[in-house]
Amino acid sequence: MTALLKTDSPRRGFPFGAALRRRAPKTLSGRIGLALLVRSAEEFLDRAGDSGSTAQAMHVHRTTLYHRLKRVETITGLSLDDGMDRLTLHLALKLARINTARRSAG
């Protein structure tokens, strides 16, 4: 999923994927840290922002989820409190997943 969000943000004008790769958590290896952030954000958005069910589904404490989501906000420059930013991130994550699946299939 390192190809995450290679498209430019229409609002911020920078590639999300490159930003996420550069700023992946230092305490984890780059790919593992990035994968955790991506999975956390996607799960949160798939569950319509329900942090309780997201944390439960990921088997992490809610505070851990909050830290991960804050990290995603810091890296991308998006706010998960803003509807348009949530939509932008959710669509980008889904498109990245589809693109990865297409590459694997073909």
Side-chain angles (χ1 to χ4, degrees), residues 34-104:
L34 176 60
L36 283 173
L37 293 178
V38 168
R39 182 169 169 246
S40 298
E42 189 169 16
E43 189 74 29
F44 176 76
L45 293 167
D46 285 348
R47 293 176 179 275
D50 185 344
S51 57
S53 71
T54 302
Q56 187 174 27
M58 296 187 70
H59 306 288
V60 297
H61 194 277
R62 194 179 297 192
T63 304
T64 300
L65 176 65
Y66 291 145
H67 285 291
R68 289 178 186 176
L69 295 175
K70 189 53 142 174
R71 186 76 175 140
V72 169
E73 287 181 322
T74 300
I75 291 168
T76 63
L78 299 173
S79 170
L80 293 176
D81 292 331
D82 180 85
M84 188 58 72
D85 283 355
R86 282 192 312 273
L87 177 62
T88 300
L89 182 58
H90 205 187
L91 287 173
L93 289 167
K94 294 302 179 188
L95 288 172
R97 185 170 297 284
I98 290 168
N99 190 36
T100 300
R102 280 187 48 216
R103 284 187 185 160
S104 298

Side-chain angles (χ1 to χ4, degrees), residues 10-31:
R11 291 181 41 158
R12 303 296 193 285
F14 70 92
F16 293 120
L20 284 170
R21 283 190 299 278
R22 275 195 311 274
R23 299 180 188 171
K26 303 280 190 242
T27 58
L28 302 169
S29 82
R31 288 183 191 260

